[in-house]
Amino acid sequence: MEKSKNRWLIAASAVGIHISIGSVYAWSVFTKPLKSQFGWSDGEVSFTFSLAILFLGLSAAYLGHYVEKHGPRKSGTLAALFFGVGIAGSGLAVNLGSLYMLYLFYGVLGGIGLGVGYIAPVSTLVKWFPDRRGLATGLAIMGFGFASLISSPIMARLIGSVGIANTFYLLGGLYFILMFFSSRYLSPPPKDWLPAGFKEKVDAGKSPVKRDIAHLTANQAVRTRRFYFLWLMLFINVTCGIAIISVASPVAQEIAGMSALSAATMVGLMGLFNGIGRIGWASFSDYIGRPATYTAFFVIQLLAFFILPQTTHSLLFQLLIFLIMTCYGGGFASIPAYIGDLFGTRELGAIHGYILTAWSAAGLVGPSIASWVHETTGNYSGSLTVFAGFFAVALVISLWIRSDIHRLRKMNQKDPTVPA
């Protein structure tokens, strides 16, 4: 009988992949050097990042079925290949001075590696941690959130010492190696595998973990109302989070009267709280449940966005921003476990891929709304009030899906054979 792998090493492998692909959040480190060397505009350089996030969502959606069919090892290797070539190829684009080659390598190829690399280890972790789904997915996605804190100073030093192109070459090779060898250990658990003592705890009523509502394929899941509820909740959470990230410094200076230096320090700390929220909220969701966790996200942020425009005290302003960032990160980390709760783990990777298209859409919508409202009203207070309204809608959806879940669980108790 084949010896079962260590699920904590599976988690470590997932973190290795996510720390690599999460370096995309440090893209801004390249902005000034690229502008200085080639004279490209802010918009031209930042479009590279937008393109990568767009292809993250698209590839996650279209290649989710590939992840389920071929498993995490092959999928992780594919992600390593695309992401490694994308980053290293960006060095070639810099050597040739080609903006469009940069879009192709970093934006398109790197973005595809991002999408596949994001969902492959997460869907596997959920299956290895039926007792602590939130903690497991929080660990991996925390790696994605913290990656920029690790990679930003390394990138800056490399650019200063070996140049932009060589930095891309070195990072491309490093990320490929780390992702490739991390993928080697990934695999789904054996059939009918459960953690030691878990089944006994569930049967004895000692475990807080509830059984999945249904076991659906991705094509079946997208025909349910609760799939679109999840999509909308993630979309609103990410839209508002990305919007506040994109304008955090000027908002802090305008509303709370913070200096440019203090606002910049706050922006740096936002990344820290984003990462803390991923592991913290996801782990907490194992105890209070994913439905209650998402309701908490929207109640907290509805109040925070409503209070922010009137908050002139800099410390309170920053505390509210950091609280919002924990909810922003927690939304990413809790969604895979929520998917497992509602649809089972049969094709979790494919369903997760479909849901992540909300991230791509939000990346385009959030900053655009913030900019439009600011240009229309002449201040950022109006933007914050608009986003508070979005969270009111999200709160209603979170309560609606909870009523659906309650109804489906009652149906399952009466007749477990009835499809949900």
Side-chain angles (χ1 to χ4, degrees), residues 75-87 109 113 176 179-180:
S75 301
T77 302
L78 181 69
L81 182 63
F82 269 101
F83 194 69
V85 170
I87 301 301
L109 297 184
F176 174 79
M179 292 175 70
F180 178 81

Side-chain angles (χ1 to χ4, degrees), residues 63-346:
L63 293 174
H65 287 285
Y66 178 92
V67 172
E68 294 299 336
K69 182 178 180 180
H70 296 283
R73 185 177 300 172
K74 286 186 178 180
S75 301
T77 302
L78 181 69
L81 182 63
F82 269 101
F83 194 69
V85 170
I87 301 301
S90 299
L92 177 62
V94 169
N95 277 335
L96 297 176
S98 173
L99 181 62
Y100 291 105
M101 282 187 69
L102 185 63
Y103 291 161
L104 172 64
F105 280 108
Y106 195 98
V108 178
L109 297 184
I112 292 172
L114 276 169
V116 180
Y118 192 94
I119 62 175
V122 172
S123 63
T124 302
L125 273 179
V126 171
K127 296 168 186 175
W128 276 100
F129 287 81
D131 53 337
R132 305 176 77 180
R133 282 178 175 171
L135 170 65
T137 58
L139 280 171
I141 296 176
M142 176 192 67
F144 194 96
F146 277 140
S148 64
L149 297 176
I150 299 170
S151 55
S152 292
I154 296 173
M155 290 175 176
R157 291 187 180 183
L158 284 174
I159 291 171
S161 58
V162 301
I164 305 173
N166 287 333
T167 297
F168 278 127
Y169 291 138
L170 289 170
L171 291 176
L174 176 64
Y175 292 146
F176 174 79
I177 292 170
L178 181 56
M179 292 175 70
F180 178 81
F181 283 103
S182 294
S183 300
R184 293 297 87 195
Y185 195 76
L186 290 178
S187 67
K191 187 178 179 181
D192 299 325
W193 178 89
L194 288 173
F198 175 61
K199 186 176 186 302
E200 291 77 4
K201 288 182 179 179
V202 172
D203 292 341
K206 296 179 180 179
S207 173
V209 180
K210 294 181 178 179
R211 299 183 186 277
D212 300 335
I213 288 178
H215 298 276
L216 305 183
T217 65
N219 291 335
Q220 290 172 330
V222 298
R223 291 197 290 268
T224 66
R225 183 168 60 187
R226 58 191 184 277
F227 172 88
Y228 296 97
F229 285 164
L230 285 186
W231 194 97
L232 284 170
M233 288 193 297
L234 183 64
F235 172 75
I236 292 173
N237 200 57
V238 177
T239 295
C240 301
I242 285 180
I244 201 68
I245 289 171
S246 68
V247 297
S249 180
V251 166
Q253 293 175 61
E254 177 186 300
I255 296 176
M258 295 173 61
S259 67
L261 180 60
S262 298
T265 302
M266 181 195 74
V267 171
L269 287 172
M270 285 167 64
L272 175 63
F273 283 92
N274 180 0
I276 291 172
R278 291 170 189 249
I279 184 64
W281 278 111
S283 300
F284 191 46
S285 75
D286 285 332
Y287 297 95
I288 67 170
R290 258 63 69 174
T293 301
Y294 266 80
T295 298
F297 288 157
F298 302 137
V299 169
I300 290 170
Q301 292 181 96
L302 171 60
L303 294 174
F305 272 85
F306 183 75
I307 295 170
L308 272 175
Q310 289 81 41
T311 305
T312 57
H313 193 284
S314 62
L315 180 58
L316 178 58
F317 184 90
Q318 291 179 80
L319 289 175
L320 289 171
I321 290 289
F322 295 152
L323 187 58
I324 289 168
M325 282 296 98
T326 67
C327 295
Y328 172 75
F332 280 116
S334 302
I335 202 72
Y338 208 163
I339 293 169
D341 296 343
L342 298 187
F343 305 112
T345 59
R346 183 176 174 185

